[in-house]
Amino acid sequence: MQHCCPPDGREVDRAGEAVLFKALSDPHRLAIVAMLSAAADEICVCNFTSELPLNQPTVSHHLRILREAALVTCERRGTWVYYRLSSDAGARIASAVSSILSEAIAA
Amino acid sequence: MQHCCPPDGREVDRAGEAVLFKALSDPHRLAIVAMLSAAADEICVCNFTSELPLNQPTVSHHLRILREAALVTCERRGTWVYYRLSSDAGARIASAVSSILSEAIAA
DNA sequence: CGCTAATATCGACCTATGTCGATGCAGCAT
DNA sequence: ATGCTGCATCGACATAGGTCGATATTAGCG
């Protein structure tokens, strides 16, 4: 039986990158990240709750996913909790993309 | 009632970017994209089927999702179907990332 | 100490998704 | 035509994920 093209076996685990992209695969989480990036500063949870068409538990849920993906960090100050983009968020995303596309995107 | 930080309302639809990231949120699909990118050429479906720990229908399912995200294109040649990365795949991913992070990543 | 406010967690619900076996379909060969 | 091969689609299943109401937790206040 003939073949179509020469195979080349590599067994790489893309789970890490997948978790990153999965964290970015929801429109509301993207909105959160975009707000944080645009603000270039920390944002209080109550701001997300008031600006997103979601109830407070749902906002908290999305923030947790972003937290567990290490894309954001939070800090409690008094009654409020403030979130900010992780300092290496952009670098980790760019690294994941270039790891998949095997091309250097970040400078 | 006092407030924590000044709000700024924007109602942007991140659904398009979310679809892109969702297509990239599975390890096996990442493996497919990585194989295609590394090959820098078209790859026959039978190659994915033989190199991934998935059955043929599952491979077909993942290829369809990548197709619908316009990340790959396919072309039937005889009995075999060959997939390749869309020419603008990298650009669209980079554009989605920078759209969210409001920073220029691509050169 | 109670009371209120801001977040997080829990439980339930429904939908989406990854996976596979079975089947369908297109293309080649005999 | 018959059969075979590569791939897509379908149906079913189990699990994951988004959403919300209810409840818990933490912090400030009187």
Side-chain angles (χ1 to χ4, degrees):
Chain A
M1 153 181 172
Q2 53 175 338
H3 234 101
C4 38
C5 37
D8 60 329
R10 233 156 285 124
E11 270 305 332
V12 192
D13 189 30
R14 310 286 180 181
E17 292 91 336
V19 169
L20 249 191
F21 290 124
K22 183 161 300 204
L24 297 173
S25 68
D26 179 274
H28 295 134
R29 284 197 291 274
L30 286 185
I32 292 176
V33 171
M35 285 175 64
L36 287 170
S37 177
D41 196 8
E42 53 189 13
I43 294 184
C44 174
V45 174
C46 65
N47 256 272
F48 297 123
T49 304
S50 65
E51 296 200 17
L52 294 175
L54 298 172
N55 280 21
Q56 178 266 321
T58 306
V59 171
S60 215
H61 167 72
H62 287 306
L63 288 172
R64 175 217 269 267
I65 292 182
L66 292 174
R67 234 187 304 136
E68 289 175 347
L71 285 174
V72 303
T73 58
C74 63
E75 176 193 346
R76 171 155 225 139
R77 212 143 62 230
T79 309
W80 297 295
V81 177
Y82 296 84
Y83 279 75
R84 67 168 64 240
L85 268 189
S86 298
S87 54
D88 62 348
R92 287 184 50 232
I93 295 175
S95 160
V97 171
S98 65
S99 150
I100 297 303
L101 291 187
S102 55
E103 69 187 26
I105 289 191
Chain B
M1 154 182 171
Q2 55 176 336
H3 236 101
C4 36
C5 36
D8 61 328
R10 232 157 284 124
E11 269 305 333
V12 193
D13 189 30
R14 311 286 180 181
E17 292 91 335
V19 170
L20 248 193
F21 290 124
K22 183 163 299 202
L24 297 173
S25 68
D26 180 273
H28 296 136
R29 285 197 291 273
L30 286 185
I32 292 176
V33 172
M35 286 174 65
L36 286 171
S37 177
D41 197 7
E42 52 189 14
I43 295 184
C44 174
V45 173
C46 66
N47 256 272
F48 297 123
T49 304
S50 65
E51 296 197 18
L52 294 175
L54 298 172
N55 281 20
Q56 179 265 319
T58 306
V59 171
S60 216
H61 167 72
H62 287 306
L63 288 173
R64 174 216 269 269
I65 291 182
L66 292 174
R67 235 186 306 134
E68 291 177 343
L71 285 174
V72 303
T73 59
C74 64
E75 174 192 347
R76 170 157 225 137
R77 210 142 64 229
T79 309
W80 298 296
V81 177
Y82 296 85
Y83 279 75
R84 66 168 65 241
L85 267 188
S86 298
S87 54
D88 62 348
R92 286 185 51 232
I93 296 176
S95 159
V97 171
S98 65
S99 150
I100 296 302
L101 291 187
S102 54
E103 70 189 23
I105 287 191

